[in-house]
């Protein structure tokens, strides 16, 4: 009787393990390439084809092989289909209509506005008609007595439930470095609470990666902000809310060459410096470092979009690339 009891426990344990086999299928996602298995009971199982190493067939058994684990179906699959990812729907003209703002967040900065109606665009330096097709905004600035007419084409991206507008274009025709202007729709507060800030971000000065204009390092609750042209570095805690980053510097540094006297001795391509001289908490020196701004927070818009981020600094648009 005792042996029978142990045998039953063993068999039940085996059944439990079989029932507990992990299901590695994923939710249906029309934005990804997927394979669909239709089971005999009518259930549908989806797998991203990028994750599937192979599908094995042995008589009536189907095995989906993935790095995370295999899913085995014994005589349960009645159909297999493959689906290509659908092209995501881009923004429409209706999404653009309204006024978008770049807010002045620090002394000396200006607010900029972009306004779309059904037929007219108002943007700094231009008021007039525009076209918007396949995600590209196009308008022609008329000639003046000083300049010929020229056409502007910018790729449009809408983020955070269409509350953030990004206008992107290459800095130069043959450059892989872009510039981007970012605006927030009036009356909207973008929810950026899930943005992944941590990392190193570089904004380049011209159409190459030879010179970094600004560098931002974020790690946990601490940030470092380096301005390449000024060879200055600020370190301290920060807060981030609705796309606005508030850096509260507690340490200031000048970049110096240990073999020479003077400032500005940092690598323009990496923002590295062999010697950072810490500035004492002296109001006069901090005024020199900040151009007379004093020990105030550095405050700027900062919106994440994958490995890119969009911002403004000193009234200049900044497109940051994650390193």
């Amino acid at each position: 009787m005792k042996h029978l009891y142990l045998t039953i426990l063993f068999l039940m344990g085996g059944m439990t393990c079989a029932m507990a086999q992990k299901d590695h299928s994923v939710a249906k996602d029309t934005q990804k390439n997927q394979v669909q298995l239709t089971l005999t009971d009518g259930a549908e199982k989806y797998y991203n084809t990028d994750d599937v190493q192979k599908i094995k067939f042995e008589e009536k058994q189907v095995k989906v092989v993935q790095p995370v684990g295999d899913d085995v179906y014994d005589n349960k699959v009645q159909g297999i289909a493959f689906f290509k990812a659908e092209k995501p729907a881009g923004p429409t003209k209706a999404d653009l209509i309204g006024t978008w703002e770049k807010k002045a967040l620090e002394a000396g900065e200006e607010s900029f506005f972009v306004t779309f109606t059904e037929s007219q665009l108002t943007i700094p330096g231009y008021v007039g008609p525009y076209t918007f097709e396949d995600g590209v905004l196009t308008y022609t600035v008329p000639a003046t007595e000083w300049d010929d007419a020229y056409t502007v084409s910018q790729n449009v991206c809408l983020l955070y439930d269409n509350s953030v507008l990004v206008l992107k274009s290459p800095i130069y025709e043959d450059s892989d470095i872009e510039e981007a202007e970012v605006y927030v729709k009036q009356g909207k507060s973008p929810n950026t609470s899930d943005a992944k800030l941590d990392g190193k971000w570089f904004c380049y000065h011209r159409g190459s990666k030879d010179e970094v204009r600004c560098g931002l390092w974020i790690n946990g609750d601490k940030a470092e902000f380096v301005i390449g042209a000024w060879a200055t570095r600020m370190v301290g805690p920060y807060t981030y809310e609705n796309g606005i980053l508030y850096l509260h510097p507690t340490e200031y540094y000048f970049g110096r060459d240990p073999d020479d006297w003077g400032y500005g001795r940092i690598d323009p391509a990496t923002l590295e410096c062999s010697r950072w001289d810490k500035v004492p908490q002296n109001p006069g020196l901090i005024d020199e470092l900040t151009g007379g701004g004093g020990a105030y927070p550095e405050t700027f818009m900062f919106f994440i979009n994958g490995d890119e981020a969009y911002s403004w600094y000193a009234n200049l648009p900044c497109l940051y690339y994650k390193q």
Side-chain angles (χ1 to χ4, degrees), residues 200 202 212 215 217 224-235 252-278 289:
K200 181 193 294 186
F202 275 179
V212 182
W217 286 258
E224 299 186 25
F225 185 56
V226 178
I227 304 173
W230 298 352
T232 59
R233 175 173 166 236
M234 307 168 209
V235 181
Y252 293 84
Y253 298 87
F254 283 116
R256 282 192 174 177
D257 187 326
D259 300 321
D260 192 10
W261 182 260
Y263 302 124
R265 309 297 186 178
I266 68 174
D267 187 327
T270 64
L271 299 186
E272 294 175 354
C273 181
S274 56
R275 174 180 165 184
W276 287 105
D277 280 5
K278 189 172 182 180
L289 176 62

Side-chain angles (χ1 to χ4, degrees), residues 89-98 100 116 132 158 162-163 165 185:
T92 66
K93 182 179 282 191
D95 296 323
L96 300 183
I97 291 175
W100 307 77
F116 292 90
F132 183 61
L158 293 178
N162 292 353
S163 62
L165 168 70
K185 197 161 195 177

Side-chain angles (χ1 to χ4, degrees), residues 61-247:
Q61 183 189 84
V62 176
K63 180 185 291 187
V64 181
V65 181
Q66 300 183 105
V68 294
D70 300 345
D71 285 357
V72 179
Y73 300 91
D74 285 313
N75 199 21
K76 291 183 178 180
V77 178
Q78 65 175 355
I80 299 178
F82 292 85
F83 297 94
K84 292 190 67 174
E86 297 177 3
K87 184 178 180 181
T92 66
K93 182 179 282 191
D95 296 323
L96 300 183
I97 291 175
T99 297
W100 307 77
E101 179 180 10
K102 174 264 169 184
K103 293 183 179 180
L105 297 173
E106 296 208 346
E109 289 191 339
E110 299 178 41
S111 293
F112 299 144
F113 299 90
V114 175
T115 300
F116 292 90
T117 67
E118 182 67 32
S119 59
Q120 182 168 281
L121 166 66
T122 302
I123 198 167
Y126 175 79
V127 178
Y130 71 97
T131 61
F132 183 61
E133 296 180 0
D134 297 328
V136 179
L137 170 68
T138 305
Y139 57 94
T140 299
V141 179
T144 67
E145 59 180 306
W146 302 284
D147 296 301
D148 295 332
Y150 61 93
T151 298
V152 177
S153 293
Q154 295 175 300
N155 293 318
V156 173
C157 181
L158 293 178
L159 308 174
Y160 300 99
D161 294 326
N162 292 353
S163 62
V164 175
L165 168 70
V166 180
L167 303 178
K168 294 176 59 179
S169 57
I171 292 182
Y172 299 119
E173 185 176 346
D174 298 327
S175 172
D176 60 350
I177 303 297
E178 295 183 298
E179 59 184 357
E181 302 173 12
V182 62
Y183 302 87
V184 174
K185 197 161 195 177
Q186 283 192 333
K188 297 282 190 177
S189 295
N191 180 10
T192 57
S193 56
D194 294 331
K196 302 184 186 304
L197 295 175
D198 275 24
K200 181 193 294 186
W201 303 85
F202 275 179
C203 171
Y204 297 102
H205 185 58
R206 295 184 178 89
S208 74
K209 296 184 178 180
D210 295 333
E211 186 175 352
V212 182
R213 175 149 48 105
C214 299
L216 181 65
W217 286 258
I218 299 179
N219 185 10
D221 60 357
K222 194 173 185 179
E224 299 186 25
F225 185 56
V226 178
I227 304 173
W230 298 352
T232 59
R233 175 173 166 236
M234 307 168 209
V235 181
Y238 75 94
T239 56
Y240 183 68
E241 186 177 9
N242 296 333
I244 307 297
L245 190 146
Y246 305 85
L247 172 61

